[in-house]
Amino acid sequence: MKRAVYPGSFDPITNGHLDIIKRAAKVFDEVIVGVLVNVEKKGLFDIDERVKLIERVTKSLSNVKVRSYDGLLINLMKQEEAKVIIKGLRAVSDFEYEFQMALMNNKLDSTIETVFMMTNAQYSYLSSSAVKQVAKFGGCIKELVPDEIIPDIMIKIGE
Ligand code: ADP
């Protein structure tokens, strides 16, 4: 079984993330979305909320699971018996950091491969932080995130 982990903060999940998840779910038997618990950075949504939002928008994808993790990604990989990390690339600016991470993860466990998927051109400008900025200042986030989570974002921003 070819199982891959797609890690990130997903605060919140965007249509760019969802596009990568859907494409990865066609390539791999199972895709595990790994939501990173970052104790240093308080997000808009807490970890359980992020997991639930991702579960809601991926519920029609039967081979996608969502897990949270803290610490090293390779520990989640071991736990889930996955050998492939999926990363999305938006621009050259993503490359240097991702290249370093891929080499480091391979150094920590040489059986792990990182696979990069290019962003869909229509989402190349999209990030969770951009969505939060737009929502905060009253802009329209339709088409940036799945429709069914727009109310959750608007409520959170208003709190
Ligand atoms: P963000 O930068 O939006 O806060 P994350 O840290 O949650 O995103 O990113 C998780 C993964 O998703 C990373 O591999 C990132 O490069 C990728 N990703 C984020 N946004 C997009 C997008 N619009 N298109 C393709 N990949 C993306």
Side-chain angles (χ1 to χ4, degrees):
M1 157 107 76
K2 280 264 173 275
R3 197 175 278 141
V5 170
Y6 176 42
S9 308
F10 306 104
D11 184 37
I13 184 164
T14 69
N15 281 340
H17 295 134
L18 191 57
D19 177 62
I20 298 284
I21 294 170
K22 285 181 178 163
R23 287 159 57 196
K26 288 188 191 148
V27 177
F28 296 96
D29 298 317
E30 196 162 77
V31 174
I32 295 139
V33 182
V35 185
L36 174 66
V37 178
N38 185 346
V39 280
E40 283 154 31
K41 220 166 104 187
K42 191 181 163 344
L44 179 63
F45 290 95
D46 70 29
I47 296 301
D48 291 341
E49 291 169 329
R50 290 182 215 178
V51 168
K52 290 210 174 77
L53 291 179
I54 303 169
E55 282 174 344
R56 208 195 300 162
V57 301
T58 59
K59 66 172 182 291
S60 63
L61 303 166
S62 57
N63 62 338
V64 174
K65 289 197 301 188
V66 190
R67 297 282 179 265
S68 60
Y69 72 101
D70 57 9
L72 291 177
L73 174 59
I74 56 160
N75 293 339
L76 174 72
M77 310 280 299
K78 278 203 191 94
Q79 191 185 309
E80 298 293 334
E81 295 178 19
K83 291 289 178 199
V84 178
I85 301 171
I86 298 164
K87 287 295 187 114
L89 284 182
R90 281 163 292 197
V92 181
S93 51
D94 279 343
F95 177 78
E96 202 166 339
Y97 175 74
E98 296 295 354
F99 182 51
Q100 190 186 359
M101 292 285 286
L103 293 180
M104 180 57 86
N105 282 319
N106 187 263
K107 168 92 184 123
L108 293 172
D109 181 343
S110 62
T111 65
I112 302 250
E113 288 292 346
T114 303
V115 170
F116 292 96
M117 297 185 102
M118 295 304 149
T119 184
N120 185 318
Q122 84 186 100
Y123 301 131
S124 59
Y125 61 92
L126 193 50
S127 67
S128 296
S129 46
V131 168
K132 286 183 275 193
Q133 284 283 331
V134 171
K136 196 166 150 196
F137 296 110
C140 176
I141 56 170
K142 201 169 161 49
E143 280 158 29
L144 307 184
V145 298
D147 282 346
E148 63 260 53
I149 71 165
I150 292 177
D152 301 75
I153 297 170
M154 299 321 289
I155 289 168
K156 248 316 174 208
I157 294 277
E159 278 172 8

